[in-house]
Amino acid sequence: MKAVLDHIGIAVKDLQAALAFYRDALGLEVEAPEEIASDRVRAHFLLVAEPAAGDAGPRLELLESTAADSPVAKFLETRGPGLHHITLRVDDIAAALAQLKSRGTRLIDQSPRAGAEGALVAFIHPSSAHGVLVELKQSHVTRRRSQAALTQTVTRYTLGDLELVSLYDGSFGIDGGALFGVVPKPLWMARMLPDDRNRVRVAMRPLLVRGVRTMLIDAGIGDKLDAKTRDLMQLERERTLDHALVDAGVRPEEIDIVLATHLHLDHAGGFTVRGADGRLRPRFPRARYVARRGEWEDATHLNDRTRVSHRPDDYLPLAEAGVLELVDDDQTIMPGVRVRRTGGHTRHHQAIWIESKGERAVYPGDVMPTAAHVPAAWIAGVDLYPVETLTAKQALLAEVAGTGTMVLFDHDPDTPAAHIALQDGKPRALAFGPAHRG
């Protein structure tokens, strides 16, 4: 970890008097103020150095309390105006916190949270910093760069006698409102920054399970979409499921079972391929394809709301080839792998539970597509039955929180897997590691 000075925070009781000194007497340029609702404070940044490209340089931050019981107000009451904290900028705040924890550093924030300017922040307790309150900050520039470079490698995990391999089939852009529903934008953009068209980038991560059989859960979007749809989705295909399977050391003909969480195009598009003769065929020649019967019925009887998310060419050829198996109930599909209906995202969406030698994992599919969706009420706007999603997530979180259960995300751009911890009674996703990346 390498930290550099970002700014120095100064608590002020009389903002106008402070501005009269810093702005008027010293001639420092003041940026537009920003209110940080979570800390009940208003921040006024002052430039003290010539900005370099992509970097405002060290600054001063005047902190004005917006509530009588805010931390800054309490600071002013007990200590008066003056130096409040120093802020050090790091490239990867999660890694920085992990390193500090390993050294026994006392932290105020155990995990990053939203701060000013769309950054992620976390505070170190003064007792571990020789009496100084230290804030760590990962800037929105670093976060945007990180999101642009998605985790495109395969990631391997061992679960008892099973090997789980999180694969990769490219990424696409989706409207932030569609991904986060009624969650206010200032909250979700602290987790995933949108572009200038309000789109965030998500990955597609099918899951390979290797045990007594070799199973593929979902298969990404495939390569059958027309140019207009690819452009509309901002589809990135530099690395695909084909590359990921090679990295995982698995040939298509070695896959015994392909299991669907649901039949949306970004999960079922890779089930079929178009041959040189123009005909569609199953992509995995020896596999049986397993889907929920209710999901199949809905996917073959589309309406104006569901039609946009489905491509019948992804799944109808499976029935025509005689390789489709429909299941009606929650059941074991292969030793150690069981399906459980969640509903919510679609009427018959199902999560995949995996267990071996007392260790457990879950692939929740699109009821919890990213680590940012761990809070139960953070539900995608595209879910057909959001209240059912809420109920399913509440039950899932109650079952896995604090147990070490591995949660494997199908769309997270950076975190293939995590476990859920309770911090101040709230669920938080903590990335699994170390894991082997291919």
Side-chain angles (χ1 to χ4, degrees), residues 109-126:
D109 296 301
Q110 299 300 313
S111 58
R113 57 185 176 83
E117 303 178 301
L120 291 176
V121 302
F123 281 90
I124 301 171
H125 197 279

Side-chain angles (χ1 to χ4, degrees), residues 293-409:
R293 186 179 303 276
E295 181 73 16
W296 175 265
E297 291 298 324
D298 288 347
T300 53
H301 297 84
L302 300 173
N303 56 45
D304 289 345
R305 174 72 189 273
T306 60
R307 190 169 288 112
V308 68
S309 302
H310 293 83
R311 295 292 186 276
D313 281 353
D314 295 340
Y315 43 84
L316 289 183
L318 306 177
E320 295 165 2
V323 297
L324 179 68
E325 178 182 332
L326 300 177
V327 299
D328 295 291
D329 305 306
D330 298 347
Q331 60 186 266
T332 296
I333 305 301
M334 83 173 197
V337 181
R338 184 174 178 83
V339 296
R340 187 187 301 176
R341 180 189 173 277
T342 65
H345 185 63
T346 65
R347 192 198 314 265
H348 297 282
H349 179 283
Q350 58 188 3
I352 317 301
W353 290 83
I354 308 165
E355 188 167 359
S356 178
K357 287 192 169 180
E359 298 181 340
R360 195 168 57 156
V362 60
Y363 186 76
D366 275 359
V367 296
M368 194 184 291
T370 76
H373 289 83
V374 166
W378 286 48
I379 296 169
V382 295
D383 281 18
L384 296 178
Y385 307 94
V387 175
E388 196 170 22
T389 298
L390 176 64
T391 301
K393 286 179 68 176
Q394 288 171 330
L396 187 148
L397 288 168
E399 190 168 349
V400 305
T403 67
T405 299
M406 185 184 304
V407 180
L408 296 127
F409 301 109

Side-chain angles (χ1 to χ4, degrees), residues 214-235:
T214 299
M215 170 186 283
L216 180 66
I217 302 172
D218 290 344
I221 204 163
D223 291 300
K224 303 189 302 296
L225 294 177
D226 59 84
K228 180 179 179 181
T229 303
R230 292 198 302 270
D231 182 64
L232 183 66
M233 294 184 66
Q234 245 193 343
L235 194 60

Side-chain angles (χ1 to χ4, degrees), residues 199-252:
R199 295 177 299 193
V200 295
R201 183 151 292 276
V202 295
M204 290 171 283
R205 301 192 186 280
L207 181 66
L208 191 72
V209 183
R210 305 184 77 174
V212 295
R213 297 184 181 88
T214 299
M215 170 186 283
L216 180 66
I217 302 172
D218 290 344
I221 204 163
D223 291 300
K224 303 189 302 296
L225 294 177
D226 59 84
K228 180 179 179 181
T229 303
R230 292 198 302 270
D231 182 64
L232 183 66
M233 294 184 66
Q234 245 193 343
L235 194 60
E236 176 275 314
R237 303 287 290 160
E238 182 178 347
R239 288 189 63 79
T240 67
L241 184 59
D242 288 336
H243 299 103
L245 288 172
V246 170
D247 291 344
V250 175
R251 292 176 288 116

